[in-house]
Amino acid sequence: MKKRTVINTAIACGAAVCFSLQSCENTETVKPAKISSIQADTLVALKAGDEASPKCKVSIDYMYLQPGDEKDSISSIINSKLQRIAFGEAYSDMKPGEAISSVVNKYVQNYQKELTKFYEADLHNGMKPEDIPAWYNYEYEITSELNLNNDSIWNFSVNTFKDTGGAHPNTTIKWANLLAKSGKALTKELVFKKDKEKEIIDLILKHLIDEVNQRLETDTITSLEGLKENGALLDVDLYIPDNFMLLEDRVSFLYNRYDIAPYAMGEFIIDVPYAEIETMLNRD
Protein backbone atom coordinates (compact mmCIF):
# COMPACT_ATOMS: atom_id res chain seq x y z
CA MET A 1 0.00 0.00 0.00
CA LYS A 2 1.27 3.48 -0.81
CA LYS A 3 2.51 5.56 2.05
CA ARG A 4 0.02 8.23 2.99
CA THR A 5 0.48 11.85 4.00
CA VAL A 6 -2.00 14.03 5.86
CA ILE A 7 -3.12 17.52 5.04
CA ASN A 8 -1.95 20.32 7.32
CA THR A 9 -4.96 22.38 6.32
CA ALA A 10 -7.36 19.73 7.52
CA ILE A 11 -5.95 18.70 10.86
CA ALA A 12 -3.34 21.06 12.30
CA CYS A 13 -4.28 23.62 14.99
CA GLY A 14 -4.88 27.02 13.39
CA ALA A 15 -5.19 25.67 9.83
CA ALA A 16 -8.11 26.24 7.47
CA VAL A 17 -9.99 23.21 8.79
CA CYS A 18 -8.94 22.71 12.40
CA PHE A 19 -9.88 19.81 14.63
CA SER A 20 -9.59 21.29 18.10
CA LEU A 21 -9.67 17.71 19.38
CA GLN A 22 -5.90 17.64 19.36
CA SER A 23 -4.63 18.29 22.87
CA CYS A 24 -2.27 21.17 23.49
CA GLU A 25 -2.11 20.49 27.22
CA ASN A 26 0.95 18.24 27.15
CA THR A 27 3.68 20.83 26.71
CA GLU A 28 6.42 18.97 28.58
CA THR A 29 9.30 18.27 26.23
CA VAL A 30 9.84 14.60 25.48
CA LYS A 31 12.00 12.88 22.94
CA PRO A 32 10.00 11.91 19.85
CA ALA A 33 8.82 8.35 19.52
CA LYS A 34 10.31 6.19 16.82
CA ILE A 35 8.60 3.75 14.52
CA SER A 36 9.70 0.20 15.18
CA SER A 37 8.57 -3.16 13.82
CA ILE A 38 8.24 -6.79 14.79
CA GLN A 39 8.46 -9.64 12.31
CA ALA A 40 7.22 -13.16 12.98
CA ASP A 41 7.30 -16.12 10.60
CA THR A 42 6.02 -19.50 11.72
CA LEU A 43 5.39 -22.74 9.86
CA VAL A 44 3.68 -25.40 11.99
CA ALA A 45 2.68 -28.93 11.00
CA LEU A 46 -0.88 -30.00 11.63
CA LYS A 47 0.43 -33.22 13.15
CA ALA A 48 3.69 -32.89 15.08
CA GLY A 49 6.51 -35.10 13.78
CA ASP A 50 4.71 -35.84 10.52
CA GLU A 51 6.67 -34.27 7.64
CA ALA A 52 3.88 -35.07 5.20
CA SER A 53 1.37 -33.32 7.41
CA PRO A 54 -0.35 -30.17 6.13
CA LYS A 55 1.07 -26.89 7.41
CA CYS A 56 -0.10 -23.59 8.84
CA LYS A 57 1.99 -20.57 7.87
CA VAL A 58 1.75 -17.37 9.90
CA SER A 59 3.63 -14.24 8.81
CA ILE A 60 3.41 -10.90 10.62
CA ASP A 61 5.16 -7.61 9.91
CA TYR A 62 3.81 -5.18 12.48
CA MET A 63 4.75 -1.53 13.03
CA TYR A 64 4.35 0.26 16.36
CA LEU A 65 5.80 3.14 18.39
CA GLN A 66 8.96 2.88 20.45
CA PRO A 67 8.65 5.55 23.21
CA GLY A 68 11.25 8.32 23.06
CA ASP A 69 11.83 8.25 26.81
CA GLU A 70 10.14 7.52 30.13
CA LYS A 71 8.11 10.76 29.86
CA ASP A 72 6.40 9.49 26.72
CA SER A 73 2.98 8.32 27.89
CA ILE A 74 1.24 8.90 24.56
CA SER A 75 3.04 6.13 22.67
CA SER A 76 1.55 3.43 24.89
CA ILE A 77 -1.92 4.91 24.33
CA ILE A 78 -1.37 4.87 20.57
CA ASN A 79 0.10 1.36 20.61
CA SER A 80 -2.91 0.09 22.52
CA LYS A 81 -5.24 1.49 19.86
CA LEU A 82 -3.10 0.15 17.01
CA GLN A 83 -3.21 -3.33 18.52
CA ARG A 84 -6.96 -3.13 19.00
CA ILE A 85 -7.36 -2.19 15.33
CA ALA A 86 -4.96 -4.83 14.04
CA PHE A 87 -5.74 -7.79 16.29
CA GLY A 88 -8.79 -7.09 18.43
CA GLU A 89 -9.74 -5.84 21.88
CA ALA A 90 -8.15 -8.79 23.69
CA TYR A 91 -4.67 -7.64 22.61
CA SER A 92 -4.99 -3.91 23.30
CA ASP A 93 -3.34 -3.91 26.74
CA MET A 94 -0.39 -6.17 25.87
CA LYS A 95 3.11 -5.04 25.02
CA PRO A 96 3.65 -5.21 21.25
CA GLY A 97 5.93 -8.27 21.37
CA GLU A 98 3.54 -10.10 23.67
CA ALA A 99 0.61 -9.28 21.39
CA ILE A 100 2.37 -10.66 18.32
CA SER A 101 3.27 -13.91 20.11
CA SER A 102 -0.31 -14.30 21.31
CA VAL A 103 -1.73 -13.70 17.83
CA VAL A 104 0.59 -16.32 16.30
CA ASN A 105 -0.32 -18.84 19.00
CA LYS A 106 -4.02 -18.17 18.50
CA TYR A 107 -3.86 -18.87 14.77
CA VAL A 108 -1.81 -22.04 15.24
CA GLN A 109 -3.99 -23.39 18.04
CA ASN A 110 -7.20 -22.71 16.12
CA TYR A 111 -5.75 -24.41 13.05
CA GLN A 112 -4.83 -27.55 14.95
CA LYS A 113 -8.09 -27.59 16.88
CA GLU A 114 -10.23 -27.22 13.77
CA LEU A 115 -8.49 -29.65 11.41
CA THR A 116 -6.67 -32.35 13.39
CA LYS A 117 -9.71 -34.60 13.83
CA PHE A 118 -10.51 -34.46 10.09
CA TYR A 119 -6.90 -35.15 9.11
CA GLU A 120 -6.61 -38.09 11.49
CA ALA A 121 -9.89 -39.48 10.19
CA ASP A 122 -8.61 -39.25 6.61
CA LEU A 123 -5.37 -41.01 7.57
CA HIS A 124 -7.35 -43.72 9.35
CA ASN A 125 -9.38 -44.22 6.18
CA GLY A 126 -6.21 -44.77 4.15
CA MET A 127 -5.52 -41.34 2.63
CA LYS A 128 -2.05 -41.24 1.07
CA PRO A 129 0.29 -38.21 1.43
CA GLU A 130 -0.06 -37.35 -2.26
CA ASP A 131 -3.84 -37.24 -1.89
CA ILE A 132 -3.97 -34.73 0.95
CA PRO A 133 -6.31 -31.90 -0.16
CA ALA A 134 -4.67 -28.49 -0.52
CA TRP A 135 -7.32 -26.89 1.69
CA TYR A 136 -5.67 -28.47 4.73
CA ASN A 137 -2.87 -25.90 4.38
CA TYR A 138 -3.73 -22.61 6.03
CA GLU A 139 -1.97 -19.28 5.62
CA TYR A 140 -2.25 -16.04 7.58
CA GLU A 141 -0.39 -12.83 6.83
CA ILE A 142 -0.65 -9.50 8.63
CA THR A 143 1.25 -6.44 7.39
CA SER A 144 0.99 -2.86 8.56
CA GLU A 145 2.21 0.66 7.88
CA LEU A 146 2.57 3.51 10.36
CA ASN A 147 3.53 7.01 9.25
CA LEU A 148 3.76 10.34 11.04
CA ASN A 149 2.49 13.09 8.81
CA ASN A 150 2.98 16.81 9.36
CA ASP A 151 4.09 16.11 12.95
CA SER A 152 0.45 15.91 13.96
CA ILE A 153 -1.14 12.62 12.94
CA TRP A 154 -0.24 8.97 12.84
CA ASN A 155 -1.71 7.22 9.81
CA PHE A 156 -2.09 3.49 10.30
CA SER A 157 -3.05 0.77 7.87
CA VAL A 158 -3.17 -2.98 8.45
CA ASN A 159 -3.77 -5.72 5.87
CA THR A 160 -4.94 -9.14 7.05
CA PHE A 161 -4.72 -11.97 4.52
CA LYS A 162 -6.33 -15.34 5.28
CA ASP A 163 -6.31 -18.49 3.19
CA THR A 164 -8.25 -21.07 5.19
CA GLY A 165 -9.36 -23.55 2.59
CA GLY A 166 -12.37 -21.68 1.21
CA ALA A 167 -13.18 -20.90 -2.39
CA HIS A 168 -10.58 -18.15 -2.34
CA PRO A 169 -8.35 -16.27 0.11
CA ASN A 170 -9.59 -13.05 1.63
CA THR A 171 -7.87 -9.79 2.52
CA THR A 172 -9.25 -7.19 4.91
CA ILE A 173 -7.74 -3.70 5.14
CA LYS A 174 -8.23 -1.29 8.04
CA TRP A 175 -7.23 2.38 8.18
CA ALA A 176 -6.98 4.77 11.12
CA ASN A 177 -5.87 8.33 11.88
CA LEU A 178 -4.59 9.10 15.40
CA LEU A 179 -3.67 12.51 16.77
CA ALA A 180 0.01 12.47 17.68
CA LYS A 181 -0.26 14.65 20.80
CA SER A 182 -3.15 12.78 22.40
CA GLY A 183 -3.59 9.45 20.64
CA LYS A 184 -7.24 10.32 19.97
CA ALA A 185 -8.70 8.53 16.98
CA LEU A 186 -10.25 10.70 14.29
CA THR A 187 -13.44 8.76 13.60
CA LYS A 188 -15.83 9.66 10.83
CA GLU A 189 -18.26 11.08 13.41
CA LEU A 190 -15.60 13.57 14.51
CA VAL A 191 -14.25 14.45 11.07
CA PHE A 192 -17.33 14.74 8.86
CA LYS A 193 -20.28 17.04 9.48
CA LYS A 194 -23.38 15.04 10.25
CA ASP A 195 -25.65 17.36 8.26
CA LYS A 196 -23.40 16.93 5.21
CA GLU A 197 -23.64 13.14 5.09
CA LYS A 198 -25.73 13.07 1.91
CA GLU A 199 -23.42 15.50 0.12
CA ILE A 200 -20.37 13.45 1.09
CA ILE A 201 -22.01 10.25 -0.15
CA ASP A 202 -22.89 12.01 -3.42
CA LEU A 203 -19.22 12.97 -3.84
CA ILE A 204 -18.12 9.42 -3.14
CA LEU A 205 -20.69 8.16 -5.66
CA LYS A 206 -19.39 10.50 -8.33
CA HIS A 207 -15.83 9.28 -7.89
CA LEU A 208 -16.94 5.66 -7.55
CA ILE A 209 -18.56 5.95 -10.97
CA ASP A 210 -15.28 7.34 -12.34
CA GLU A 211 -13.35 4.46 -10.74
CA VAL A 212 -15.61 1.76 -12.18
CA ASN A 213 -15.51 3.39 -15.62
CA GLN A 214 -11.73 3.39 -15.45
CA ARG A 215 -11.57 -0.25 -14.39
CA LEU A 216 -13.90 -1.32 -17.18
CA GLU A 217 -12.21 1.01 -19.69
CA THR A 218 -15.47 2.70 -20.56
CA ASP A 219 -17.27 5.99 -20.01
CA THR A 220 -20.81 4.70 -20.28
CA ILE A 221 -21.56 4.42 -16.54
CA THR A 222 -23.13 7.67 -15.37
CA SER A 223 -25.47 6.74 -12.50
CA LEU A 224 -26.20 4.45 -9.58
CA GLU A 225 -28.22 2.25 -11.94
CA GLY A 226 -25.16 1.85 -14.14
CA LEU A 227 -23.09 0.74 -11.16
CA LYS A 228 -25.72 -1.84 -10.25
CA GLU A 229 -25.79 -3.15 -13.80
CA ASN A 230 -22.07 -3.80 -13.42
CA GLY A 231 -22.33 -5.55 -10.06
CA ALA A 232 -21.75 -2.79 -7.50
CA LEU A 233 -24.19 -1.67 -4.77
CA LEU A 234 -26.67 -4.43 -5.50
CA ASP A 235 -27.45 -5.25 -1.87
CA VAL A 236 -26.35 -2.17 0.05
CA ASP A 237 -26.76 1.60 -0.11
CA LEU A 238 -23.60 3.66 -0.43
CA TYR A 239 -22.33 5.00 2.91
CA ILE A 240 -19.37 6.80 4.49
CA PRO A 241 -17.01 4.00 5.58
CA ASP A 242 -15.15 3.84 8.87
CA ASN A 243 -12.00 3.35 6.79
CA PHE A 244 -10.80 6.70 5.53
CA MET A 245 -7.47 8.51 5.39
CA LEU A 246 -6.74 12.23 5.48
CA LEU A 247 -4.20 12.88 2.76
CA GLU A 248 -2.26 15.83 1.41
CA ASP A 249 -4.79 16.95 -1.19
CA ARG A 250 -7.76 14.64 -0.69
CA VAL A 251 -9.71 12.36 1.61
CA SER A 252 -9.44 8.71 0.64
CA PHE A 253 -12.27 6.28 1.42
CA LEU A 254 -11.74 2.51 1.54
CA TYR A 255 -14.32 -0.19 0.84
CA ASN A 256 -13.11 -3.74 1.37
CA ARG A 257 -14.14 -6.70 -0.75
CA TYR A 258 -17.83 -7.51 -0.23
CA ASP A 259 -18.54 -4.07 1.33
CA ILE A 260 -20.22 -2.63 -1.77
CA ALA A 261 -19.46 -5.16 -4.49
CA PRO A 262 -18.72 -8.87 -5.02
CA TYR A 263 -15.33 -10.36 -4.15
CA ALA A 264 -14.27 -10.44 -7.80
CA MET A 265 -14.46 -6.64 -8.07
CA GLY A 266 -11.87 -6.25 -5.31
CA GLU A 267 -11.61 -3.42 -2.82
CA PHE A 268 -12.33 0.19 -3.77
CA ILE A 269 -10.24 3.20 -2.75
CA ILE A 270 -12.19 6.32 -3.60
CA ASP A 271 -10.32 9.64 -3.59
CA VAL A 272 -12.27 12.86 -3.08
CA PRO A 273 -10.19 16.02 -3.59
CA TYR A 274 -9.95 18.20 -0.52
CA ALA A 275 -11.19 21.17 -2.56
CA GLU A 276 -14.52 19.37 -2.99
CA ILE A 277 -15.01 18.18 0.58
CA GLU A 278 -13.43 20.94 2.69
CA THR A 279 -16.72 22.57 3.66
CA MET A 280 -18.05 19.21 4.86
CA LEU A 281 -15.33 18.70 7.48
CA ASN A 282 -15.73 19.78 11.08
CA ARG A 283 -13.77 22.91 11.93
CA ASP A 284 -14.16 22.69 15.70
Side-chain angles (χ1 to χ4, degrees):
M1 182 173 292
K2 296 181 179 178
K3 290 186 180 294
R4 305 290 184 174
T5 55
V6 183
I7 38 178
N8 271 328
T9 52
I11 48 82
C13 290
V17 180
C18 174
F19 295 108
S20 61
L21 304 167
Q22 182 159 344
S23 171
C24 296
E25 296 176 358
N26 186 8
T27 59
E28 185 178 6
T29 301
V30 298
K31 293 181 180 179
K34 295 180 180 179
I35 298 174
S36 190
S37 64
I38 299 174
Q39 290 78 36
D41 290 288
T42 301
L43 185 64
V44 177
L46 180 56
K47 187 174 182 180
D50 181 359
E51 289 301 319
S53 171
K55 307 292 192 301
C56 176
K57 181 181 179 181
V58 183
S59 300
I60 298 178
D61 189 350
Y62 179 70
M63 302 180 76
Y64 67 100
L65 288 183
Q66 187 70 43
D69 56 32
E70 66 278 0
K71 299 176 184 177
D72 182 0
S73 60
I74 301 301
S75 290
S76 61
I77 294 173
I78 293 175
N79 283 336
S80 176
K81 293 185 178 182
L82 299 183
Q83 288 164 204
R84 182 181 296 113
I85 294 164
F87 310 123
E89 181 69 34
Y91 304 90
S92 62
D93 293 330
M94 298 180 183
K95 293 185 181 298
E98 180 186 357
I100 298 303
S101 295
S102 296
V103 170
V104 171
N105 290 335
K106 180 197 72 172
Y107 282 138
V108 169
Q109 290 171 6
N110 287 348
Y111 170 69
Q112 293 173 332
K113 180 179 179 181
E114 291 174 6
L115 297 186
T116 295
K117 60 183 178 182
F118 299 110
Y119 180 64
E120 290 180 342
D122 282 342
L123 292 179
H124 179 75
N125 292 328
M127 183 178 67
K128 298 178 181 179
E130 60 269 23
D131 296 327
I132 298 173
W135 60 261
Y136 268 116
N137 296 285
Y138 278 18
E139 182 176 356
Y140 300 93
E141 182 178 355
I142 299 175
T143 58
S144 67
E145 285 192 15
L146 180 63
N147 300 295
L148 179 62
N149 292 296
N150 300 314
D151 295 326
S152 56
I153 246 184
W154 289 104
N155 290 146
F156 183 63
S157 65
V158 58
N159 292 29
T160 302
F161 169 88
K162 295 183 179 182
D163 187 355
T164 56
H168 47 68
N170 197 30
T171 299
T172 301
I173 307 170
K174 294 181 181 179
W175 286 352
N177 307 280
L178 299 163
L179 291 172
K181 287 188 177 180
S182 67
K184 190 175 186 67
L186 291 176
T187 64
K188 65 181 181 181
E189 290 79 12
L190 295 175
V191 173
F192 305 109
K193 292 182 177 179
K194 180 62 178 176
D195 62 352
K196 297 294 184 180
E197 181 176 358
K198 182 180 183 304
E199 288 93 327
I200 295 170
I201 291 173
D202 287 343
L203 281 176
I204 295 173
L205 177 63
K206 181 182 74 170
H207 291 282
L208 176 60
I209 289 172
D210 291 342
E211 173 66 18
V212 175
N213 273 322
Q214 183 176 344
R215 291 190 186 189
L216 299 179
E217 298 182 347
T218 183
D219 59 2
T220 60
I221 302 172
T222 59
S223 65
L224 175 61
E225 289 69 26
L227 290 176
K228 290 184 176 181
E229 289 173 2
N230 285 276
L233 296 170
L234 290 175
D235 303 312
V236 64
D237 294 329
L238 194 58
Y239 58 92
I240 301 173
D242 293 322
N243 285 315
F244 67 91
M245 193 92 53
L246 301 172
L247 308 178
E248 183 176 0
D249 57 354
R250 64 197 183 279
V251 180
S252 189
F253 298 93
L254 167 67
Y255 296 92
N256 279 290
R257 293 172 186 262
Y258 294 121
D259 281 352
I260 60 172
Y263 176 90
M265 295 187 74
E267 65 268 358
F268 286 90
I269 295 177
I270 306 302
D271 295 323
V272 178
Y274 180 65
E276 296 181 22
I277 202 170
E278 178 180 2
T279 59
M280 303 172 196
L281 303 180
N282 284 314
R283 296 175 180 269
D284 299 313

